[in-house]
Amino acid sequence: MQTKHRWSGVLAGIAAASALALTSLTAAQANDPIRIAYIEPLSGPFANVGDAGLKHFRFAADRLNAEGGIMGRDVEIVPMDNSQSPSESAQLVQRSADQGIPFVTQGNGSNVAGAIIEAVNRNNRRNPDNRVLYLNYAAVDPALTNERCSFWHFRFDAESRIKIEALTNYMQERDDIEKVYFLNQDYSHGHVIEETGQEMIREKMPDVEIVGTQLHPIGQVRDFAPYVSRIRQSGADSVITGNWGNDLSLLVRASQDAGLDVNFFTYYGGGLGVPAAVGQAGIDKVSQITEWHANVNVDEGHEDYKTWVEDFKERYPDIDWYYHRVYNQMYMLKAAIEEAGTTDAEAVANALSGMEFESHTGTVTMRADDHQLIQPLYISIMDGDVEYDVENTGVGFRTLSKISAEEATLPTSCEMQRP
Amino acid sequence: MLETITFSLLNGLLYGMLLFMLSSGLTLIFGMMGVLNFAHASFYMLGAYFAYTMGLYTGFWVALFLAPVIVGLLGAVVERYGLRQVHQHGHVPELLFTFGLAYVIEELVRLFWGNVPMNYRVPEALDFPLFSLFGTNYPAFRVFVLVVAIAMFVGLYLLLKRTRAGLIIQASLSRPDMVSALGHNVPQVFMWVFAFGTGLAALGGVVGGIQLVTEPGMAFMMGPIVFVVVVVGGLGSIQGALIASILIGVLQTFALSVDWSLANVGILFGYAVPPDSIFATLWYMDSTRIAPILPYLLLVLMLIFRPRGLMGKRES
């Protein structure tokens, strides 16, 4: 008798405890932060790039939280170091899914982005209860929204061919460009620029000569002097490069040391250590194509965004607000979660797909066909006489040409598999 | 053409000299103690970081002398209280010890200085183009690196060949028992050679950190190539290390500077691999893309055909 009583007591206890645990679990979910896994190189040659991105995301998350978060829940960025390795990134996607993190964001390296798309697709197929969304803020290989497009992937930067198209359109109007050289990193991103760039130059500017193309291993070159002397000997007046981070700052620094006098048409010349490496020598030489730069705020009078940029500078005096797309991404995610009423990946993806968003630079649209954000772009050049400088150099960027969202569009071959 | 050759030689020489600064200490340590010091490049990294941090307070010129001395003393401590204890248990534990040490140093560097590359720049006194060749400037700092490396080689050579200390070091290199029997404290000689070797690596770091990049991955980047130099040059041979360094530097730079592939050779003999065969990738691959693996190819060939290296005296 006695044992029986004891057993029922234990049972009742367990029942009560588990009921309590359950309620506290649901309560916790409602107040738990919405977590976003940030998978980037936080060590190795591109650590500075990963670090700058993390500061952007943390700043944007803090802003969101100060404004009341998303549906009353805070946003939390969970940094994960992938050492710029695709295989490690795939494992990190798995780890964040295991931790129940519904969103992954990454941008540095299209090869890494490709691995993440595969990992996310696989996870979402195998674990329908624990699906993950991949928000890509910088990887620009066209394949990611064409052959390899995925319902779970959203790209907030303009794809590479759009940028090349806009750049060559601009170069066509300049009559001082006669000889062009391509120097790029030896992986999908660099290959695309080299191939598409040559194609477009031949088509639009038949009288412009392509005097050389060169690929170099990504993140491995410490001394660009041999490459610079090749550029010199080719007689090029302009270099087109998709290099980023150290691969660009070291290149520009080496050409400065050698006294090489060429125009640099870059994707990423406006931040991440490059302006600090170039300084005054970049004036009227280094151009970039981006979705925004700080002096757009002056030209177009975005007073509230000016404050945002200045607050960021105050918090991180060494760098500047560079990724406007992080702003777009975070606020579009907020809008999508609020529209879906949940953080469930499929519901949020459906809300994001086709979403129109009022950004500072105009209306941007997440095209439903391939999940590529269609947005205005700016070609800008280094200038010593602008309101906002970058990386405390006294040199900032001046807009040369604005490309409207309608123009900055290319068709897609994506055949999207929707769940 | 002349332009290509001149610049490839100049750039290759510079890179080679940087390699020499790193590997001269290692070849002494390796040749003498038989220790494959995996942590050698870590002392190179410490040299760069110490010099950068010191430079903020004392300026570059003081740091240039002080940083190698401090790293050298650190090397002495590592030898006296680490390696010497492990030495009793044979070579494999020694190897594992230096392997672990390399990771410990890297993590410590990350802890103290963070993951982000340091803004370690050319000192103002050397920040100008020294001369101009074919319209390309040659920065003074590069010449400075060359001068430091040559001074180092000459100093090292005189020390080893012309002084009593050098005599003892060389003797300990080949006949440690005999030197010990003559009343010299061989373990202490080992300690100072280790300290000296790490100090030389640090000096390489002081200038290499500026020329290349100062970041926590720099040791692992340089680690393997330094072993190539030591093996190709021959264990314990300073001249061998110098020749191997320059050879590797020039070889790599030339491969980067000329467009060349196996197909070019084939055309001379009227032979070509069909573009769709499985060997086509290799056949048509640009020398610029092969350049990074060339030193390792040299290592493999050297080990097969001349295991004692260019100037080495012993087989193992």
Side-chain angles (χ1 to χ4, degrees), chain A residues 101-253:
Chain A
I101 300 177
F103 305 108
V104 190
T105 193
Q106 180 272 349
N108 292 308
S110 290
N111 50 348
V112 176
I116 291 186
I117 288 189
E118 294 304 320
V120 167
N121 285 347
R122 190 166 55 238
N123 174 72
N124 292 358
R125 199 167 55 237
R126 289 186 188 161
N127 304 319
D129 306 331
N130 194 11
R131 287 191 289 214
V132 172
L133 268 200
Y134 169 29
L135 310 170
N136 164 8
Y137 71 95
V140 294
D141 182 356
L144 303 175
T145 47
N146 284 287
E147 306 94 270
R148 304 180 70 179
C149 70
S150 160
F151 177 72
W152 310 108
H153 163 247
F154 291 87
R155 166 150 60 197
F156 291 84
D157 195 3
E159 65 136 295
S160 198
R161 286 180 314 163
I162 298 177
K163 291 189 178 185
I164 273 280
E165 166 103 36
L167 261 185
T168 44
N169 282 346
Y170 165 74
M171 289 169 77
Q172 203 176 357
E173 287 163 20
R174 293 255 303 242
D175 45 13
D176 56 338
I177 296 172
E178 283 162 3
K179 291 177 174 177
V180 177
Y181 195 98
F182 287 86
L183 183 70
N184 286 289
Q185 294 153 322
D186 193 359
Y187 76 108
S188 54
H189 165 60
H191 297 182
V192 167
I193 296 177
E194 193 176 291
E195 283 154 29
T196 323
Q198 290 192 64
E199 216 171 90
M200 288 183 179
I201 284 184
R202 285 201 193 102
E203 193 179 301
K204 294 177 193 168
M205 299 169 261
D207 45 337
V208 166
E209 192 187 344
I210 295 162
V211 288
T213 61
Q214 174 92 65
L215 297 169
H216 68 81
I218 169 175
Q220 304 287 315
V221 180
R222 296 307 157 108
D223 184 8
F224 273 93
Y227 296 95
V228 167
S229 77
R230 288 199 69 154
I231 297 175
R232 224 214 108 66
Q233 285 165 45
S234 73
D237 54 43
S238 304
V239 174
I240 299 182
T241 175
N243 282 15
W244 46 276
N246 259 337
D247 278 346
L248 184 56
S249 15
L250 291 178
L251 166 67
V252 184
R253 207 199 279 177

Side-chain angles (χ1 to χ4, degrees), chain B residues 32 48 56 58 81 85 98 106 131 134 174 187 201 237 271 278 301:
Chain B
M32 211 167 153
L56 296 180
T58 64
Y81 297 101
Q85 311 301 319
T98 59
E106 186 183 327
F131 58 88
F134 305 105
S174 46
S237 165
Y271 176 76
I278 51 166
L301 293 178

Side-chain angles (χ1 to χ4, degrees), chain B residues 46-67:
Chain B
L46 283 181
Y49 273 94
F50 282 11
Y52 165 70
T53 310
M54 255 181 246
L56 296 180
Y57 303 100
T58 64
F60 172 77
W61 299 102
V62 178
L64 177 69
F65 292 98
L66 221 50

Side-chain angles (χ1 to χ4, degrees), chain A residues 42-45 47-48 51 186 214 217 219-220 222-223 225-227 230 232-233 246 250 253 257-259 276-277, chain B residues 3-4 7 11 110 115-117 121 134-137 139 142 211-213 215 221 253 256-259 288-289 292:
Chain A
L42 299 172
S43 61
N48 59 337
D51 185 63
D186 193 359
Q214 174 92 65
Q220 304 287 315
R222 296 307 157 108
D223 184 8
Y227 296 95
R230 288 199 69 154
R232 224 214 108 66
Q233 285 165 45
N246 259 337
L250 291 178
R253 207 199 279 177
D257 280 345
Chain B
E3 198 178 339
T4 312
F7 276 104
N11 290 327
R110 284 184 199 286
N115 283 324
V116 179
R121 300 295 287 269
F134 305 105
T136 299
N137 296 335
R142 285 173 171 253
Q211 183 62 38
L212 308 175
V213 186
E215 49 107 1
M221 193 112 194
T253 318
L256 280 178
S257 311
V258 292
D259 281 309
T288 51
R289 295 175 77 176

